[in-house]
Amino acid sequence: QVQLVESGGGLVQAGGSLRLSCAASGNMFSINAMAWYRRAPGKQRELVADITSGGNANYADSVKGRFTISRDNAKNTVYLQMNSLKPEDTAVYYCNANLKAYPTSRYTNYWGQGTQVTVSS
């Protein structure tokens, strides 16, 4: 059974920084892309950033220049460094991983439980 466990959320003042982590564990044998999504109150879930197994990253326009996604393939972990945080970044942040896990042989999306990020003005 595969699990994605997130950590690093919390309350921060505008202009501050937070670093989110998400570790994948379980009977996996290949991880493709990993990503961070967020859902703000009253809004739909949106993609914040994603990163391929080779390290190519993409960002939502709203976070470009402020957030950095990275991964450690040896630790099956993806990170999101968030700088210059704004109140509009307040949301529940979810980790996503596209991976193959036993006994299936196809890639499937898995989700973390979410971590709350609150930015005060």
Side-chain angles (χ1 to χ4, degrees), residues 21-61:
S21 300
C22 172
S25 63
N27 293 328
M28 308 169 294
F29 57 93
S30 179
I31 302 179
N32 192 8
M34 303 184 81
W36 288 95
Y37 288 74
R38 67 186 181 187
R39 177 174 284 157
K43 295 187 177 181
Q44 290 188 331
R45 184 175 61 194
E46 64 172 350
L47 176 66
V48 176
D50 60 21
I51 185 167
T52 67
S53 57
N56 293 316
N58 291 293
Y59 298 91
D61 288 343

Side-chain angles (χ1 to χ4, degrees), residues 12-86:
V12 64
Q13 287 188 331
S17 299
L18 283 174
R19 187 191 193 210
L20 305 183
S21 300
C22 172
S25 63
N27 293 328
M28 308 169 294
F29 57 93
S30 179
I31 302 179
N32 192 8
M34 303 184 81
W36 288 95
Y37 288 74
R38 67 186 181 187
R39 177 174 284 157
K43 295 187 177 181
Q44 290 188 331
R45 184 175 61 194
E46 64 172 350
L47 176 66
V48 176
D50 60 21
I51 185 167
T52 67
S53 57
N56 293 316
N58 291 293
Y59 298 91
D61 288 343
S62 59
V63 307
K64 281 181 181 177
R66 299 187 298 122
F67 290 11
T68 302
I69 189 171
S70 62
R71 65 190 283 174
D72 184 334
N73 291 331
K75 295 181 179 180
N76 297 326
T77 299
V78 63
Y79 306 95
L80 186 68
Q81 178 66 44
M82 305 184 292
N83 299 328
S84 303
L85 282 160
K86 304 175 181 180

